[in-house]
Amino acid sequence: MTLKANFELMAEYNQWMNNSIYSAASQLSASDLAENRGAFFGSIIGTLNHILVGDTIWLKRFAEHPAQLKSLEHFRKVELPNALDSILHENFEELRQSRLKMDHLIREFSSELTDVVLLSSLSYKNTKGEPFKKNMGALVQHFFNHQTHHRGQVTTLLNQVGIDVGVTDLLVRIPS
């Protein structure tokens, strides 16, 4: 499997899992979603917001790659969230709509990637303003891994309140 094909699979898996997570979370009330459950970002809605924050930060960084990918044009104009724990949307349905749009953009981004882009380096600054230069392909892998990590936290929080998200394994999305 090529790097590009791997990231297209990850984008498809990401979208599928987010749909599952949001469908499961929609069974909870606004107060249940906002209840601090001791997770790193407190609540279910706090963690879902953090995933969206992380996606925004990384896609804005990727948008500055010298290849100037067309799919990321939107992110060249987007303001960065103020903090990693920013609540972009307190309202679950608004958050869900933003997630749907984000996942669509991520699918477009993954389809536009090339080996030349993935094997190149990206210079960026972290949230503290410290400069870095790293392999673009490895950064895209981190981008997807970050989402998976925090979705695992959300599935645990949902399980603790009796909601089963269902199958979460990438394995079921890998084609024959």
Side-chain angles (χ1 to χ4, degrees), residues 39 42 60 64 67 71 75 77 83 98 103 105-106 112 114 116-117 128 130 142 146 149 157 159 169-171 174:
K60 185 160 180 72
E64 298 307 318
S71 59
F75 292 97
K77 303 170 193 165
S98 287
D103 288 344
L105 291 170
I106 291 169
E112 195 177 1
T114 65
V116 170
V117 170
K128 296 176 184 173
E130 301 165 333
H142 166 75
H146 177 262
H149 166 70
L157 296 173
N159 192 351
D169 290 334
L170 172 63
L171 182 63
I174 297 173

Side-chain angles (χ1 to χ4, degrees), residues 39-160:
F40 194 73
F41 291 94
S43 64
I44 292 169
I45 203 154
T47 304
L48 292 173
N49 268 282
H50 170 71
I51 297 169
L52 193 62
V53 165
D55 289 354
T56 303
I57 290 170
W58 277 107
L59 289 171
K60 185 160 180 72
R61 289 172 183 162
F62 296 156
E64 298 307 318
H65 187 279
Q68 294 288 290
L69 300 174
K70 184 175 172 25
S71 59
L72 300 178
E73 187 175 322
H74 165 78
F75 292 97
R76 287 188 270 282
K77 303 170 193 165
V78 168
E79 284 189 43
L80 284 173
N82 294 331
L84 294 175
D85 62 353
S86 292
I87 300 296
L88 302 176
H89 302 283
E90 289 184 27
N91 177 280
F92 179 75
E93 195 49 44
E94 289 174 9
L95 180 61
R96 186 181 208 165
Q97 291 306 311
S98 287
R99 179 78 261 163
L100 289 170
K101 289 177 189 171
M102 180 67 77
D103 288 344
H104 176 75
L105 291 170
I106 291 169
R107 295 283 302 263
E108 286 182 6
F109 165 64
S110 70
S111 72
E112 195 177 1
L113 291 169
T114 65
D115 285 344
V116 170
V117 170
L118 292 168
L119 295 172
S120 69
S121 294
L122 176 69
S123 296
Y124 67 95
K125 291 183 180 177
N126 69 9
T127 57
K128 296 176 184 173
E130 301 165 333
F132 289 89
K133 185 175 184 177
K134 297 192 179 208
N135 172 266
M136 180 71 167
L139 292 172
V140 174
Q141 185 64 46
H142 166 75
F143 168 75
F144 285 115
N145 189 63
H146 177 262
Q147 294 175 25
T148 301
H149 166 70
H150 288 294
R151 276 196 308 264
Q153 293 172 337
V154 173
T155 60
T156 297
L157 296 173
L158 289 168
N159 192 351
Q160 289 172 351

